[in-house]
Amino acid sequence: MESGLDARQVQHFRDEGYLIVRDLLPPEALQEFITELEVKVEEAVREAVDTGCLAASDTFPDAPFDQRLALAARACSDHLFFWDRLQGKQHKTAGMFRLRTWPSLLDATESLIGPEIFAHPQTVLRPKLPDLEDGIVPWHQDLAYLKPEEAGETLVVNFWIPLVDATAENGCLQVLAGSHRAGLLPHDHRVPRYHGVAEEDLPAGEVVTCEVAVGDALMTMERLLHRSLPHTTDSVRWSLDTRYSRTGLPTGRANKPGFIARSRKNPASVARSHLDWIRAFEEMGLDWTEKVMPAGKG
């Protein structure tokens, strides 16, 4: 490992369940993925015009990355049109692969789980739009969205990576420091698309608002309670969740493939491009966009 977390950072992550790392990723780690997303936004805008839910005069081609989708969504007659097409797990692109395998990100991961690093199947792009109820994510633990009976002993390291500066106003994350020690809690609280833990059922602890700039990352472990704040600005809070675990340990997503991101023991096993990840889905007979999964799975 060329670099990584120092002893103080590792201890903070283990004690508190989270860590903010400033300037972890340089612009070149992010730009290819952002450029791909700009293309995806253009395609979605054109589709909205073609389907008649967006006027051709409301495409905002000159708006910046953090605003264009919000402007188009506000003008669109279908308030979920863009969310349904852009949020999710379908973005298995060269730019996303480049970001998920960036050396400084894997170095930080290696500091916690060692050099045999598996890029976890569970990863999500989130273009959080202003005042969109479906984008509300309540207090929750990531393990509750996996299969805890399988992966309950696996340390899953999550990086919450902002693609635009994330603030309290545009819906950054809050964490409940130390809550990973409370065990897995019942997730009986429901909002439109997610389930979580109600405020009155939270364990005691300090709520930390985690504002992070482009290039920073918020690291959390699978049992830490966290949520996103309401989005009250007129921009889009773009972010990516990318998770890692030790190769060979249960992921809690046995029905979906990830890929080996780093290996000192067997370097030849490391995925070379996003095409290797896509091929793993195809070999399992799965839709790699993850829009169509076997019944009862997801």
Side-chain angles (χ1 to χ4, degrees):
M1 182 174 60
E2 297 177 1
S3 60
L5 305 179
D6 61 32
R8 178 192 59 81
Q9 290 173 311
V10 170
Q11 194 62 48
H12 186 279
F13 183 82
R14 298 196 183 281
D15 290 346
E16 303 298 335
Y18 79 97
L19 177 71
I20 295 174
V21 185
R22 304 294 182 190
D23 300 319
L24 178 67
L25 295 162
E28 55 267 30
L30 301 161
Q31 189 54 57
E32 183 178 2
F33 187 41
I34 291 172
T35 299
E36 291 169 347
L37 292 176
E38 289 173 332
V39 173
K40 293 290 186 183
V41 169
E42 174 65 23
E43 292 172 351
V45 166
R46 290 301 163 192
E47 183 184 353
V49 172
D50 291 343
T51 59
C53 65
L54 183 69
S57 58
D58 290 330
T59 60
F60 308 99
D62 298 323
F65 175 63
D66 68 339
Q67 294 179 15
R68 187 183 185 191
L69 193 63
L71 292 169
R74 186 177 298 114
C76 188
S77 61
D78 180 353
H79 76 288
L80 291 176
F81 185 90
F82 295 110
W83 173 260
D84 286 340
R85 281 156 180 77
L86 293 169
Q87 185 271 348
K89 306 171 185 178
Q90 69 269 34
H91 303 282
K92 296 175 176 66
T93 62
M96 186 185 201
F97 183 87
R98 177 181 174 88
L99 175 53
R100 293 196 76 195
T101 57
W102 195 261
S104 59
L105 188 152
L106 296 181
D107 288 345
T109 304
E110 184 171 337
S111 300
L112 298 168
I113 66 173
E116 304 306 308
I117 300 174
F118 190 71
H120 195 278
Q122 185 78 345
T123 183
V124 183
L125 174 74
R126 303 183 192 275
K128 185 164 183 171
L129 293 162
D131 302 317
L132 182 66
E133 188 178 12
D134 289 68
I136 294 173
V137 182
W139 288 105
H140 68 284
Q141 296 162 299
D142 288 342
L143 184 58
Y145 282 82
L146 304 174
K147 292 185 177 179
E149 67 274 14
E150 296 177 4
E153 301 304 315
T154 300
L155 174 59
V156 180
V157 180
N158 181 60
F159 289 80
W160 193 87
I161 299 172
L163 304 180
V164 301
D165 292 350
T167 65
E169 291 74 27
N170 72 3
C172 72
L173 264 60
Q174 286 185 327
V175 302
L176 187 61
S179 58
H180 61 299
R181 295 190 294 270
L184 184 62
L185 302 178
H187 281 56
D188 301 325
H189 179 61
R190 293 289 188 272
V191 295
R193 296 208 182 195
Y194 302 97
H195 60 271
V197 179
E199 294 255 5
E200 58 268 23
D201 296 327
L202 294 176
E206 179 189 3
V207 174
V208 181
T209 300
C210 301
E211 294 189 312
V212 283
V214 176
D216 299 342
L218 168 64
M219 300 176 64
T220 60
M221 62 175 60
E222 76 290 340
R223 294 176 188 266
L224 183 81
L225 281 155
H226 58 288
R227 68 169 179 181
S228 64
L229 289 169
H231 185 174
T232 59
T233 77
D234 59 359
S235 64
V236 182
R237 192 224 66 194
W238 290 91
S239 64
L240 175 68
D241 300 352
T242 177
R243 298 176 173 86
Y244 304 87
S245 55
R246 187 176 300 170
T247 300
L249 295 182
T251 64
R253 276 285 186 270
N255 61 304
K256 295 182 185 179
F259 60 87
I260 295 176
R262 173 177 285 179
S263 176
R264 307 296 187 195
K265 292 181 180 178
N266 186 12
S269 66
V270 174
R272 294 163 295 177
S273 79
H274 67 295
L275 299 177
D276 291 332
W277 190 15
I278 290 172
R279 190 175 301 112
F281 271 84
E282 293 173 342
E283 289 173 352
M284 291 180 67
L286 300 174
D287 172 17
W288 64 266
T289 69
E290 302 192 63
K291 292 183 176 181
V292 179
M293 298 297 291
K297 298 181 179 180

